[in-house]
Amino acid sequence: MAVTVSHDFSSTSLSAIVGSFNTQGTFVSATPYGTGHINDTFAVTVEQSGVGIRYILQRINHDIFKDPVANMENIRRVTEHLARRMAGQPDLARRVLTLIPTRVGDVFHRDPHGNVWRMYLLIENAVSLETATSPAQAFETGLAFGHFQHLLTDLPAPRLHVTIPDFHHIPKRFATLIRAIESDPANRAIAAQPEIQFAFARQPIADVLLKANLPERITHNDTKFSNVLLDKATGEGLCVIDLDTVMPGLALYDFGDMVRTTTSPAAEDERDLTRVRLEMPMFEALLRGYLSTAGEFLTAAEKKYLAFSGKLITFVMGIRFLTDYLSGDIYYKVHRPGHNLDRCRTQFRLIESIEHQEEAMSRLVESLG
Ligand code: ADP
Ligand code: GN1
Ligand code: MG
């Protein structure tokens, strides 16, 4: 099995990396943190006058983000803008990510191996969860990402860097899947026949949003449930995190990924597919939360595709997991054999569930939009 593991950074090298950032204290520890599929994330503790202060240290995955400096320029501009737009709000440092500069004043540190590192304040008393379990959580997620999009509608020029070209270009994602099926480098296509058939049967939906003439906006592009921190005490959607993919996009890509990740009680890699389904009360809460903050700037054309966007983004994630399975697990971190195929199967099962309820979802959108 080709298991992808984080680089084995020794504590000594992590302490040297932490030392290059302008933290106020003595290094105590750095521990792998979170469940992200892409970057290497550590919770760092430094001690200052006997008190532990925690930070998030991340190595940007530069196999995926080819120009990490561009990521950091986007993130600096976006976080500064969000902080300006929310100035005066209580608890601001828990509502927007705070970058810690290096000792020479940069927003990232490049180590001798060429890795690019950044550091944020670790937002305490907040949780990042994989699976939403209540309509209130779905509502908070919709509200938080809608607010995020709203605050970025007036980000001053220039246009943000495109950190991954064609990230949500679904016909191109489909073409990549076809190439993986044809080359079949890990000899796995035979094991994924039902999923391949499933994908082909839905290929016609791939270009629907591209043809719909929708406005370009600044979007997050990775709005999965775990990328919003919820306040531990109140459950409030506190802070949108994971900003590497913030770039020009369609608002519907964001809403679609929220549908994918908040409306089903099952985890993204659940093996018991009977647990995977879109639950209407979760969808309704998500929609209400999103419209409460995004409703005022969305156009009628965007609103028309809100229900469809959930199916579409679930489709693209399914084909990306399938492609990675066929390619031998080279993109996402995997933790067991067949992990990417399991993830693909949950996506495709969720699509079936959405298909059964799509009309009711559309009616709900019309009644609330
Ligand atoms: P990835 O791109 O690999 O998903 P994320 O930026 O989402 O990386 O970070 C991984 C995890 O680290 C998150 O799911 C969350 O649990 C945690 N995390 C990231 N940034 C912060 C922060 N500033 N405060 C608290 N937790 C954070
Ligand atoms: C990745 O970084 P993370 O784990 O939040 C991926 C997303 C997928 C998601 C699926 C840059 O997100 O596109 O939707 O996994 N990010 C990138 O869980 O590819
Ligand atoms: Mg993440």
Side-chain angles (χ1 to χ4, degrees), residues 33-34 36-39 41 56 58 97 120-123 128 226-227 229 241-242:
Y33 197 70
H37 296 338
I38 305 294
N39 292 316
T41 303
I56 288 286
Q58 281 183 320
L97 288 174
Y120 295 116
L121 288 181
L122 188 150
I123 297 171
S128 154
S226 60
N227 283 336
L229 296 181
I241 61 169
D242 206 347

Side-chain angles (χ1 to χ4, degrees), residues 37-38 167 222 224 227 242 260 268 317 320 331-332:
H37 296 338
I38 305 294
F167 190 55
D222 188 3
K224 65 185 193 184
N227 283 336
D242 206 347
R260 179 181 80 85
E268 190 180 63
M317 292 313 159
R320 287 176 60 194
Y331 185 93
Y332 296 106

Side-chain angles (χ1 to χ4, degrees), residues 145 148-149 160-161 163-164 167-168 217-224 227 240 242-255 257 260 313 317 320:
F145 283 119
F148 180 88
Q149 287 181 342
L160 289 176
H161 298 291
T163 56
I164 300 182
F167 190 55
H168 286 309
R217 301 189 181 281
I218 295 172
T219 49
H220 183 284
N221 297 303
D222 188 3
T223 54
K224 65 185 193 184
N227 283 336
V240 167
D242 206 347
L243 306 181
D244 291 300
T245 50
V246 178
M247 59 181 157
L250 299 185
L252 292 165
Y253 297 149
D254 282 0
F255 187 71
D257 208 37
R260 179 181 80 85
I313 290 296
M317 292 313 159
R320 287 176 60 194

